[in-house]
Amino acid sequence: MAKRNSPGGRPRVEEPVSSGGVVYRWDQDRLEVVLCGRDEPVRWSLAKGTPDPGETLEETALREVQEETGLEPEIEDRIRSIDYWFSNKDNEVRYHKTVHFYLMKAIGGHTSLHDPEFDVVEWFPYEEALSRLAYPNEADVLRQAFDLISQRENAV
């Protein structure tokens, strides 16, 4: 994470990086994706997290998705990166975060094996997942994942 000192009493800016994925499957002819949820407040999101020292973005995405969803993922493609700003509660630090997302298929595991970071992990039909995501930029990532999946299916 890059840190910059800010002169004149302005908040310090840090630039953390995370990596995650959109995990999908076909249930008969219906596309489903997995979402991670918290109960209080109810909030659904994509699996993502911070790199361990020495990890590549892809290794981070695979590890974080496996930990947070209980699934064993395999990367098929890069989707895109998103970035956003937020501050700590005292506004002493502003964060400019970048999250890199990958398209993934589950090759093993089960959602019941997810870690305690989330209250629930579930498979949703694509359209329902799109409407449940709490963050518009993650919904955009899901739409782009759908485009990649469609291109793959049409190429077969």
Side-chain angles (χ1 to χ4, degrees):
M1 172 174 8
K3 297 179 182 180
R4 291 189 233 153
N5 294 327
S6 297
R10 289 183 289 172
R12 181 177 79 244
V13 174
E14 294 188 14
E15 296 183 295
V17 173
S18 290
S19 194
V22 173
V23 184
Y24 78 97
R25 71 179 181 189
W26 289 100
D27 184 14
Q28 297 175 8
D29 287 337
R30 183 174 76 172
L31 177 65
E32 295 183 330
V33 296
V34 73
L35 298 181
C36 302
R38 291 197 173 94
D39 290 338
E40 298 281 332
V42 174
R43 186 174 61 230
W44 292 96
S45 63
L46 298 171
K48 60 191 168 297
T50 306
D52 284 341
E55 269 186 335
T56 66
L57 294 172
E58 292 86 356
E59 289 168 339
T60 299
L62 289 168
R63 178 182 53 76
E64 286 289 341
V65 167
Q66 184 165 12
E67 289 173 1
E68 293 183 357
T69 68
L71 300 169
E72 184 182 339
E74 177 180 79
I75 293 177
E76 290 191 338
D77 211 340
R78 183 180 183 284
I79 301 172
R80 67 173 279 204
S81 299
I82 59 172
D83 69 303
Y84 52 94
W85 289 87
F86 62 98
S87 298
N88 69 346
K89 67 179 182 169
D90 299 325
N91 288 322
E92 295 170 349
V93 181
R94 285 192 33 97
Y95 298 92
H96 180 215
K97 187 168 189 170
T98 302
V99 185
H100 304 272
F101 284 100
Y102 297 87
L103 182 64
M104 301 178 171
K105 269 189 126 163
I107 57 173
H110 192 274
T111 56
S112 65
L113 303 173
H114 71 88
D115 70 13
E117 183 173 343
F118 290 98
D119 299 313
V120 63
V121 176
E122 290 183 23
W123 288 100
F124 290 96
Y126 166 75
E127 290 292 337
E128 185 177 348
L130 199 55
S131 69
R132 286 184 180 251
L133 280 169
Y135 306 107
N137 55 3
E138 288 192 3
D140 290 341
V141 168
L142 185 53
R143 284 184 196 95
Q144 288 183 316
F146 177 78
D147 290 344
L148 284 172
I149 295 165
S150 296
Q151 290 169 12
R152 287 174 167 281
E153 294 300 313
N154 291 333
V156 174

